[in-house]
Amino acid sequence: MPDTAGSDKDVQTSLRGIVRTARFNKQHRFWDLYGMLNADMLHLAWEGVKKSSAIADDDITVREYEADLERNLEGLAERLRQKRYRAKLIKRRYIKKENGKQRPLGIPSLEDKIVQKAVAMILEAIYEQDFLPCSYGYRPERGAKDAVSDLVFQFQFGVFGYIVEADIKGFFDNIDHEQLLAILEERVNDRSFLRLIRNIYLHTVLDEWFQAVVKPRMKGRAIMCRYADDWVCAFQYRDDARRFYDVLPKRLGRYNLEVEPTKTKIIRFSRFHPSKKRGRTFSFLGFEFYWYRDRNGIIRAQRRTAPSKPWAALR
């Protein structure tokens, strides 16, 4: 298929060019990304925005915005070009968490979601070439079910015996934006574009560090599985799990993060100790993982909905 059939095709061609450059040149720093936020890019972003999770404005509905879509997107693109675009205040609601605390939910305006989607499309073209296979959260063609299934496969056919189950305390409340921008500047050389950015962080804090620093120092095999700020690590040997457990707080501390002590621990998780009892299982992405012996006597890694989840949903 030719790449020159209409404005949307031009935008997609530009994104494909970014993909090629990012894939084959890991040191390349991209410039003039802000200039890509034109009406054509915003229109492409509009197609991917979930309209039901956004509000247009206090005096206009999403349907009314769509009725004059081209003019509205042209106006938004012009405000971006002239650096007059300002994000609106997010409508905030709170829901109860399992531990009794409250989780904040934010509902951004429709135009903010369009801009966020356009920025995400550009960043995705760059960082999908850098992200590691252990990362599953908010990536195309990947999701929580893939993470859970792959983790069970690794257990069933791997040699792992210990789990480090960890939780970052208030991750999204404690992101160091200055360090985040420093991470982004390794790939993005566009100040105007960087001002629109909020969150690519754990790829550097955890994934790259685990792959390049932790795994080469282990005596046995080790894997990480991460979905956004939820993640677990599996180790073949207890000493390796202990070394990682001890150094983890120091690593997070370098980025102004800290572990949640009540949710961070080492668990014996092995086919040689099949059990559903507490202390031999762990939870990840709403599932409880355990080993069991089936009717044929074969020991299998298994998962089921975490017991606390149905009750939390009902509450």
Side-chain angles (χ1 to χ4, degrees):
M1 293 289 291
D3 287 337
T4 57
S7 59
D8 280 359
K9 289 293 184 182
D10 293 339
V11 170
Q12 294 177 41
T13 299
S14 299
L15 290 175
R16 280 193 286 269
I18 292 175
V19 168
R20 286 193 293 268
T21 302
R23 180 177 299 158
F24 296 110
N25 188 347
K26 298 299 184 181
Q27 281 71 49
H28 184 80
R29 298 180 69 210
F30 293 87
W31 62 280
D32 198 27
L33 296 177
Y34 191 84
M36 293 182 64
L37 296 174
N38 54 29
D40 292 333
M41 176 63 81
L42 296 177
H43 196 284
L44 196 63
W46 163 268
E47 300 297 329
V49 167
K50 186 177 180 181
K51 285 78 172 178
S52 61
S53 62
I55 56 172
D57 212 331
D58 291 335
D59 56 354
I60 186 174
T61 66
V62 174
R63 184 172 296 179
E64 290 170 341
Y65 191 93
E66 186 174 15
D68 199 5
L69 182 63
E70 299 304 325
R71 189 166 69 89
N72 285 327
L73 292 181
E74 289 283 355
L76 177 57
E78 183 64 16
R79 276 179 278 137
L80 283 165
R81 188 183 68 80
Q82 296 181 359
K83 309 288 179 66
R84 293 189 293 109
Y85 167 78
R86 295 292 183 272
K88 296 182 176 66
L89 290 175
I90 291 177
K91 283 184 179 280
R92 183 71 68 189
R93 295 292 184 272
Y94 293 87
I95 61 172
K96 286 186 177 180
K97 298 172 65 175
E98 294 177 30
N99 59 9
K101 296 181 180 179
Q102 290 189 320
R103 183 192 306 278
L105 296 180
I107 307 176
S109 74
L110 182 61
E111 286 196 333
D112 289 345
K113 291 208 73 170
I114 295 170
V115 174
Q116 289 170 11
K117 182 64 177 178
V119 170
M121 290 165 61
I122 296 171
L123 288 177
E124 186 177 278
I126 298 172
Y127 282 96
E128 270 301 308
Q129 320 317 312
D130 294 349
F131 287 155
L132 300 178
C134 64
S135 173
Y136 292 83
Y138 307 107
R139 295 179 61 186
E141 310 300 327
R142 285 171 157 249
K145 290 183 179 179
D146 299 302
V148 169
S149 296
D150 290 351
L151 198 55
V152 169
F153 180 87
Q154 291 279 0
F155 291 148
Q156 186 65 50
F157 298 101
V159 293
F160 307 103
Y162 296 89
I163 295 292
V164 174
E165 184 181 17
D167 185 80
I168 299 175
K169 188 175 182 179
F171 170 67
F172 289 105
D173 296 327
N174 294 296
I175 293 176
D176 188 319
H177 289 164
E178 292 303 316
Q179 292 205 46
L180 170 60
L181 290 174
I183 290 170
L184 287 167
E185 284 176 351
E186 295 177 6
R187 282 299 235 168
V188 178
N189 186 24
D190 186 334
R191 283 287 178 183
S192 296
F193 190 80
L194 288 173
R195 292 192 187 101
L196 293 173
I197 305 304
R198 282 289 181 263
N199 184 34
I200 289 181
Y201 207 58
L202 287 180
H203 167 67
T204 295
V205 177
L206 286 177
D207 300 355
E208 288 189 328
W209 170 67
F210 191 84
Q211 183 71 23
V213 179
V214 174
K215 289 177 70 173
R217 288 170 168 77
M218 299 291 101
K219 295 179 180 178
R221 291 195 61 197
I223 60 169
M224 171 185 285
C225 185
R226 182 175 67 81
Y227 187 96
D229 61 328
D230 292 326
W231 50 283
V232 295
C233 295
F235 299 88
Q236 184 175 358
Y237 300 128
R238 178 181 176 83
D239 286 348
D240 287 345
R242 170 58 63 181
R243 290 172 62 197
F244 175 76
Y245 180 87
D246 290 341
V247 78
L248 179 61
K250 300 174 185 176
R251 173 64 180 181
L252 294 178
R254 289 181 55 187
Y255 294 87
N256 294 329
L257 300 172
E258 58 181 304
V259 298
E260 176 58 64
T262 61
K263 297 181 180 180
T264 305
K265 54 186 175 292
I266 299 176
I267 300 168
R268 178 63 166 145
F269 188 78
S270 168
R271 67 178 72 242
F272 302 111
H273 299 88
S275 174
K276 295 182 182 179
K277 293 182 179 179
R278 194 171 184 178
R280 297 293 190 190
T281 68
F282 72 95
S283 296
F284 179 59
L285 299 180
F287 288 91
E288 184 181 52
F289 292 77
Y290 59 93
W291 287 97
Y292 84 112
R293 191 185 303 274
D294 67 14
R295 65 181 64 183
N296 297 317
I298 300 174
I299 298 175
R300 300 185 183 279
Q302 189 60 278
R303 66 182 184 270
R304 64 182 178 183
T305 302
S308 61
K309 288 299 177 182
W311 293 110
L314 285 172
R315 285 197 298 271

